[in-house]
Amino acid sequence: MTDNIDFKRYWNKQKIETQTPEELIKKANEFKRKTRFKLIVGNIVLLISCIGISFIWFYYQPEFLTTKIGVIIIMTAILIYVAFQSTLMPLLSKRNLEASAKEQLLQLLQLKEKQRFQQTTLLNGYFFLLSLGFGFYMYEYAVRMTFIWAVLTYGIVFFTIALNTFYFRPKTIRKQQARLNKLIAQLKDLKEQLTD
Amino acid sequence: MTFEEIHKVYWPKVYRQCMGYMNDHDAAKDITQETFIKVWQHLPKFRNESSIGTWVFRIAANSCLRQISKDKKMPKSEFPNEIVEEILVNNEPLVEFLYKCISELPEVERIIISLELEELKQKEIAKIVGLTESNVRVKIHRIKEKLTKKFQKHDR
C-alpha cells in the first residue's frame, strides 16, 4: 500500500444511522420533562421529611427546649444538604457552548476539584448535625422512660450514630472521592493533550 | 438556517465524528442525538459569532470529550463474541479498519482527525479544540502518519 492513502474516501463511506428531526425534538422535550420531574421529586421528599418533623413538634407539643433544638438542627442539616446539592447541579450543566474544548475542559476540571472538596466537607457536616439533632431530640422522651429503657434507647441511637460516623460516612466519602479522583485524572490527561 | 436544515446537513457529519471517537454505532447515535438536542435547545440563542458548522462541531466535540464524566455503559469487550460480529454492520473492511484505528488514538487526536476528514479548515479545528493553528497542523500530519503506518501493516 502506498504512502498516500485516501482516508477521506473510507471516512465518508461509514454507514449512518439517522433520526428524524421530529423524533429528536420529541426526545429533547422528554429529556426536559424528566429533568424537571427529578428536581420536583427531590424537593417533595425534602418537604415531606420537614413536614413530618414539624408535625411531631406541633402534635406532641414537646415541653423541653432540647427537643425543639434537636428538630431545628435536623431540619437545618437536611436543608443545607439539599440546597448544596441543587446549587451544584445547575453549575454542572450550565456551560458556554461558544467556548473551545480546552476552555470547557478547564472549567469542568475546576468545578470537579471544587466538588471534591465540598462533598467531603458537606457530608461530614451533614452527619454531624444529624447525629447532634437526634441526640437532643431524643432527650425529652428518654427522660420519661424508665432507666433501663432510656439506656437501651440511647444505646441504640449512639450505636446508629457510631455506625454512620465510622462506617457509612467514610465509605460514602471514599466512593465519591474515588469516582471524582478518577475523573479528575482523566480530565488532566485530556488537558495534557490540549497543551500547545 | 432552520433546525431541520442543520439536521439534514450536519447529522451525518456529526455521526461520523462520533463514530470516529467511539467506534460503536449505539454510542455514536447517542452522542449525535445529545449534540442535536443541545443544538435545538440553543439555536434561538445562537449569536452567529462563528459559522453554524463550527458551532455544531464544537458542541459535538465537547459532547464526545464529556463522555468520560458519565458512567460508562458496558464496555464492548464484555459482549460475547457472536454479538460483536453482528454489531459490525456490513461496512467495507477498510472503512471498519479506519474507524477502529481512529478510535484507538488519544481522545483529542480522534477529534482533530475527524474534523480534518470532514474537511474543516485547520483554523476552525484550532478554534474548536483550543490549540494553535500550527499545533493542529503538526498534529494532523503526525496522526496521518500513524494511520498510514497502521494501514500499511494491516495490508501486509
Side-chain angles (χ1 to χ4, degrees), chain A residues 60-68 135-145 154:
Chain A
Y60 291 103
Q61 290 291 327
E63 287 159 15
F64 289 19
L65 189 64
T66 45
T67 317
K68 290 171 190 167
F136 273 123
Y137 178 75
M138 295 271 311
Y139 182 66
E140 180 174 349
Y141 305 100
V143 164
R144 292 180 187 164
M145 294 170 189
Y154 258 96

Side-chain angles (χ1 to χ4, degrees), chain B residues 94-105:
Chain B
L94 279 179
V95 176
E96 297 283 0
F97 186 66
L98 174 67
Y99 279 83
K100 183 176 167 283
C101 290
I102 291 178
S103 71
E104 284 164 0
L105 294 167

Side-chain angles (χ1 to χ4, degrees), chain A residues 15-138:
Chain A
K15 284 226 155 49
I16 310 289
E17 288 182 26
T18 37
Q19 199 172 27
T20 62
E22 293 75 31
E23 265 180 285
L24 211 91
I25 293 169
K26 217 176 104 193
K27 275 264 165 64
N29 284 326
E30 244 168 59
F31 176 74
K32 218 174 173 180
R33 243 196 335 267
K34 264 188 203 155
T35 322
R36 203 176 297 154
F37 181 72
K38 260 191 217 159
L39 202 73
I40 291 172
V41 167
N43 284 331
I44 285 178
V45 169
L46 160 80
L47 209 68
I48 289 175
S49 356
C50 284
I51 287 176
I53 297 170
S54 349
F55 172 77
I56 294 171
W57 184 328
F58 292 111
Y59 191 79
Y60 291 103
Q61 290 291 327
E63 287 159 15
F64 289 19
L65 189 64
T66 45
T67 317
K68 290 171 190 167
I69 293 175
V71 168
I72 291 170
I73 292 176
I74 294 169
M75 279 216 236
T76 316
I78 297 175
L79 281 171
I80 289 177
Y81 191 75
V82 173
F84 253 95
Q85 291 288 23
S86 47
T87 50
L88 215 58
M89 279 301 196
L91 265 180
L92 286 174
S93 55
K94 205 198 291 176
R95 60 189 112 125
N96 181 10
L97 289 179
E98 304 282 326
S100 71
K102 191 179 177 177
E103 286 162 336
Q104 291 205 25
L105 201 71
L106 288 178
Q107 279 168 14
L108 186 68
L109 191 61
Q110 268 174 0
L111 189 75
K112 289 286 164 189
E113 278 174 337
K114 217 192 243 162
Q115 200 184 2
R116 178 162 64 174
F117 168 75
Q118 260 181 7
Q119 267 182 351
T120 320
T121 322
L122 189 67
L123 212 62
N124 279 337
Y126 178 66
F127 273 110
F128 174 72
L129 282 180
L130 216 57
S131 313
L132 192 72
F134 269 110
F136 273 123
Y137 178 75
M138 295 271 311

